[in-house]
Amino acid sequence: MIKKNIKLLIVTSIVILLPIIAGIILWDKLPAEIPNHWNFEGEVDGWSSKPFAVIVMPLILLAIHLVSSFAMLSDPKNQEHTSKILQLGFWITPTLSILLSAVVYSTAMGGNIRVSIIIPVFLGIVFVVIGNYMPKCRQSYTIGIKLPWTLNSEENWNKTHRMASWIWVIGGLVTVIFGFLDIVWIVIPTLAVLALVPIVYSYVLYRKGI
């Protein structure tokens, strides 16, 4: 699996590091301290040094990407997944890297970036995309809703992911709508629902012997 996807791994890793090149090009225009955290009102409440924001942050994302990718590709059960599902897993971190760097650099240079809108809308889109692919997920130790009873029962796994698909798509659309309305607090309760409802549903199936 690793040899088969090595080109994709290299390409996605390069994309994650592109913000370093952009940061070096913009180096003289960037302030000494770069915003790296926002509160629920979209106001900056945390800063980092320019070298950390430009160089270290993309490297941290690259490390996360490599660890998660190798774990995903080393999973023997992932042989059953379609290439589209694996590609989805590969491209989440690169997309996040480009988005975050664009927001951070633009804000640092004085741009009026509405983080309280951008982040919920982005997350909502991610929820919808993941939800759309959930019914296609096969049993795996790295992709999907990994619980003792879903891993032990293919029927439980399939029913849980079909139900979770609807929850994630609906939750994603709600998050996008609330994001455009600049109501950022919706992210936390939505995440709680997306995480807990499938777990409870799966456990109920397990108690029924499924």
Side-chain angles (χ1 to χ4, degrees), residues 79-194:
Q79 299 282 352
E80 302 175 6
H81 282 298
T82 66
S83 60
K84 289 184 178 180
I85 291 177
L86 291 176
Q87 287 181 14
L88 175 62
F90 270 109
W91 281 105
I92 289 178
T93 305
T95 303
L96 181 62
S97 178
I98 297 298
L99 176 66
L100 288 179
S101 64
V103 170
V104 167
Y105 293 165
S106 298
T107 304
M109 292 187 294
N112 184 24
I113 305 300
R114 300 294 298 275
V115 176
S116 58
I117 294 178
I118 293 175
I119 298 303
V121 170
F122 172 74
L123 289 176
I125 294 173
V126 170
F127 296 157
V128 171
V129 172
I130 292 177
N132 182 61
Y133 279 98
M134 273 191 172
K136 303 176 181 69
C137 283
R138 299 294 178 261
Q139 282 178 306
S140 166
Y141 297 114
T142 53
I143 299 176
I145 302 171
K146 303 171 292 296
L147 300 167
W149 40 89
T150 57
L151 292 172
N152 289 330
S153 169
E154 185 174 358
E155 184 180 3
N156 189 306
W157 175 282
N158 291 335
K159 287 187 175 182
T160 297
H161 282 75
R162 283 196 295 268
M163 188 280 298
S165 173
W166 287 99
I167 297 294
W168 278 64
V169 170
I170 294 172
L173 292 175
V174 169
T175 303
V176 169
I177 293 172
F178 274 72
F180 279 119
L181 295 175
D182 202 5
I183 306 176
V184 71
W185 59 262
I186 193 64
V187 172
I188 292 180
T190 300
L191 283 172
V193 170
L194 299 189

